[in-house]
Amino acid sequence: MSRTLSRKEFLQVAGAGVAGAALLGAGAGCGGSSYLPSGGSRMNVVVVILDSLRRDHVGAYGNDWIQTPTLDALAKDSLRFTRPYPESIPTIPARRAVYTGKRTWPFRNWVPQKGETFFPAGWQRIPEDQWSVAEILLDNEYDTVLITDTQHQFKPSMNFHRGFNVFDFIRGQERDRYRPKQTAPEELVQKNVVPGNDRSMVEKVRQYVANTHYYRNREEDWFAPQVFLRAIKYLEDAARAGQPFFLVVDSFDPHEPWDPPEKYVGLYGEEGYSGPEPIVPNYSKSDYLEEDELRRMRALYAAEVTMADRWLGNFLDRMDALGFLENTLLFVLSDHGVSLGEHGYTGKVDEALWPELTDIIFYVRHPEGKGSGNTSDFYASIHDIAPTILSQMGIEPWQPMDGQDLTPILEGKGPQREREHFTLGYDDYAWARDERYALVCRNDGSEARLYDLQSDPGMDRDISGSHPEVVRRMWEGYILKDAGGPLPKY
């Protein structure tokens, strides 16, 4: 599409009238400032995580063909960081940084977790000697709530609900062994894989189909709607209870599998497509896909983004109707992106640290309007969330945090400490950037790729061979320095 729809127009296109009316019809004005803790010095906190949402798929970040009216409208009411990055990748290391305010990269003392089929470095529980922001807020009489369908956090080897006195785990996403795989109708499995999908991804689809095929009759049965509807229900309960709360709404969408209702696919898909649906990518080179399959995969992902945006909008509308936007500090972010054939990869491959994987969204909405409508090019990251929350609440952290308090930027000042560069890691690869260059290499510094971001922002042309001095400077001065010495080898 050549024009970005407003949220109102989009809801009409998406057919949200009935569901929207049901969600927004009751209870307006029940919240308000009376739900601040005693003394009125603290506010509620909501953190929304959208897994695998690419920055370049959001209108407020420059996309002109994918419909994200909620995120576009939120940008006008928030401080939006234009160059945010995850502290580390993928799902579990990133969330550990969100919850603790600590750097999880470079994944020292990493122990692979038992029973995992996917365990990149750092894929482990919150260490027992680290405190989560949920534990600190719980001790300060907040209701601490986690609502999510991100099943990795609830595996027996993990402990990510630590500190949450309420947690709602919506079962059935991805590889969650919620129902026997043998119950998946084979024709539905084959409909949702392409001939080039590897065995692991076929089995992911098989488990997912077994988990979901028997109950999906309306849009509210998909996962993003379930997550945000549960979060809406919590808001309604909170409006009656009156206790200040810390709410994490962690939506696994738009992570694969990408199988949104047809009305979303119809916004982007080619008419007459009759092939199998590539709802999961191999985490590999993209040459297993035919051209029409790759186009279809991109359309399915775009459709999933739009569905997640719509249900985020329903949630924010309900926050507004209940008065909670007047007294709630809101963060909306993604944890990483996903490759969709760019640079010859699909999925999340550790060596493919290009913008499609590293670039995230990051919004902070303050109830007093601080930073509203502004942007910042500070290298904000997900481990800045916990110290910012505690600063805004006037609560001292129980241990030093690596992230920065973003309050000065919200107030139109400079950051606590300038970040002239940023580093992150994914398994046994490291990444660094500054104003001019981006560097990708293995943990021992080998296989380095260097890109000039001024002339090549998409990182398409490796210039490491002609600039060895820049590679050495960034490796030694950024990566090794931030890592505190040599990186672990796996």
Side-chain angles (χ1 to χ4, degrees):
M1 295 185 179
S2 59
R3 182 175 70 90
T4 300
L5 298 178
S6 69
R7 174 160 170 75
K8 181 178 179 181
E9 291 171 325
F10 172 72
L11 289 175
Q12 293 171 346
V13 170
V18 175
L23 288 171
L24 304 179
C30 295
S33 59
S34 63
Y35 295 101
L36 289 172
S38 60
S41 62
R42 298 181 184 174
M43 63 193 83
N44 304 309
V45 182
V46 172
V47 177
V48 177
I49 304 172
L50 300 170
D51 198 296
S52 301
L53 176 57
R54 288 171 49 151
R55 188 189 305 169
D56 64 357
H57 277 52
V58 174
Y61 284 97
N63 188 284
D64 62 0
W65 65 280
I66 296 173
Q67 302 305 322
T68 54
T70 299
L71 289 167
D72 300 344
L74 184 63
K76 300 173 184 177
D77 205 24
S78 305
L79 172 64
R80 178 173 59 88
F81 288 94
T82 59
R83 299 190 300 184
Y85 293 98
E87 183 278 333
S88 53
I89 301 175
T91 299
I92 286 297
R95 278 158 182 75
R96 198 161 64 248
V98 171
Y99 293 162
T100 66
K102 306 282 286 184
R103 294 219 72 167
T104 63
W105 178 79
F107 315 126
R108 299 192 191 281
N109 304 314
W110 172 67
V111 178
Q113 302 297 291
K114 294 181 179 180
E116 291 283 357
T117 58
F118 177 65
F119 41 87
W123 192 273
Q124 64 185 44
R125 63 194 295 143
I126 297 173
E128 299 303 325
D129 62 352
Q130 291 184 10
W131 296 103
S132 74
V133 67
E135 291 172 291
I136 298 172
L137 292 177
L138 180 64
D139 190 65
N140 281 266
E141 300 183 352
Y142 275 75
D143 199 25
T144 55
V145 184
L146 172 61
I147 299 173
T148 184
D149 61 335
T150 305
Q151 53 112 6
H152 304 297
Q153 300 177 86
F154 288 89
K155 292 179 178 177
S157 58
M158 300 297 176
N159 195 20
F160 275 70
H161 54 294
R162 231 175 73 186
F164 291 101
N165 63 331
V166 178
F167 48 90
D168 200 345
F169 169 31
I170 298 164
R171 296 294 304 270
Q173 262 286 19
E174 201 190 32
R175 297 183 189 270
D176 182 15
R177 296 179 182 178
Y178 184 43
R179 292 176 63 85
K181 282 198 292 187
Q182 295 84 350
T183 64
E186 188 61 27
E187 65 273 15
L188 286 182
V189 175
Q190 295 306 315
K191 178 183 177 181
N192 289 293
V193 296
V194 295
N197 274 135
D198 59 37
R199 179 180 178 84
S200 173
M201 288 300 160
V202 173
E203 292 307 305
K204 176 188 282 193
V205 170
R206 193 180 309 281
Q207 183 66 70
Y208 182 78
V209 168
N211 292 345
T212 61
H213 79 93
Y214 66 98
Y215 71 87
R216 282 187 169 172
N217 299 308
R218 56 181 188 153
E219 183 176 338
E220 287 80 356
D221 297 329
W222 266 254
F223 283 107
Q226 288 188 66
V227 170
F228 286 109
L229 283 170
R230 300 276 186 97
I232 287 169
K233 178 62 169 61
Y234 174 77
L235 292 178
E236 293 168 344
D237 292 342
R240 290 188 291 269
Q243 183 178 4
F245 59 82
F246 169 57
L247 170 62
V248 176
V249 186
D250 184 355
S251 171
F252 202 53
D253 287 337
H255 192 289
E256 81 270 355
W258 302 307
D259 66 334
E262 179 56 37
K263 68 182 180 184
Y264 296 105
V265 181
L267 295 171
Y268 310 107
E270 298 178 3
E271 291 186 11
Y273 179 82
S274 59
E277 300 288 3
I279 71 171
V280 294
N282 291 352
Y283 286 20
S284 70
K285 296 280 190 177
S286 60
D287 53 7
Y288 67 96
L289 290 166
E290 302 292 338
E291 283 299 319
D292 61 335
E293 294 170 344
L294 181 56
R295 287 195 301 272
R296 185 66 173 184
M297 179 179 287
R298 290 170 174 170
L300 293 175
Y301 175 76
E304 197 90 17
V305 168
T306 298
M307 179 178 70
D309 179 89
R310 179 213 165 177
W311 284 93
L312 169 64
N314 288 337
F315 170 73
L316 296 180
D317 286 347
R318 195 64 178 135
M319 279 189 71
D320 190 19
L322 291 167
F324 283 126
L325 288 182
E326 299 173 11
N327 57 25
T328 300
L329 179 65
L330 171 69
F331 297 83
V332 178
L333 65 143
S334 52
D335 56 351
H336 50 70
V338 62
S339 300
L340 297 169
E342 303 88 357
H343 298 100
Y345 287 85
T346 58
K348 293 182 285 292
V349 180
D350 54 3
E351 66 195 71
L353 293 176
W354 282 285
E356 52 269 20
L357 188 56
T358 62
D359 290 10
I360 64 171
I361 69 165
F362 197 150
Y363 298 76
V364 185
R365 184 193 181 280
H366 195 281
E368 297 175 6
K370 295 179 180 179
S372 178
N374 295 338
T375 60
S376 171
D377 63 1
F378 178 70
Y379 296 133
S381 188
I382 54 183
H383 66 310
D384 296 327
I385 292 173
T388 303
I389 291 172
L390 295 180
S391 171
Q392 288 290 310
M393 302 304 108
I395 299 172
E396 289 294 325
W398 291 354
Q399 62 188 172
M401 292 182 171
D402 300 319
Q404 288 195 39
D405 173 15
L406 300 176
T407 297
I409 303 176
L410 279 168
E411 296 176 344
K413 305 172 185 176
Q416 283 186 325
R417 300 181 302 279
E418 291 291 347
R419 284 177 178 156
E420 296 181 354
H421 69 272
F422 196 77
T423 54
L424 61 85
Y426 180 9
D427 201 27
D428 58 353
Y429 277 79
W431 173 100
R433 71 153 291 173
D434 57 20
E435 291 297 307
R436 180 70 183 271
Y437 297 104
L439 174 69
V440 182
C441 61
R442 296 189 71 95
N443 277 2
D444 60 2
S446 64
E447 300 180 20
R449 307 192 307 267
L450 181 71
Y451 304 93
D452 187 332
L453 296 175
Q454 291 185 3
S455 61
D456 180 25
M459 297 171 56
D460 298 316
R461 299 181 297 277
D462 176 16
I463 60 171
S464 58
S466 58
H467 292 76
E469 74 288 352
V470 177
V471 172
R472 183 170 58 255
R473 173 177 62 83
M474 295 182 73
W475 165 249
E476 295 176 354
Y478 297 168
I479 295 175
L480 291 183
K481 183 178 179 180
D482 286 3
L487 277 70
K489 296 181 180 179
Y490 310 118

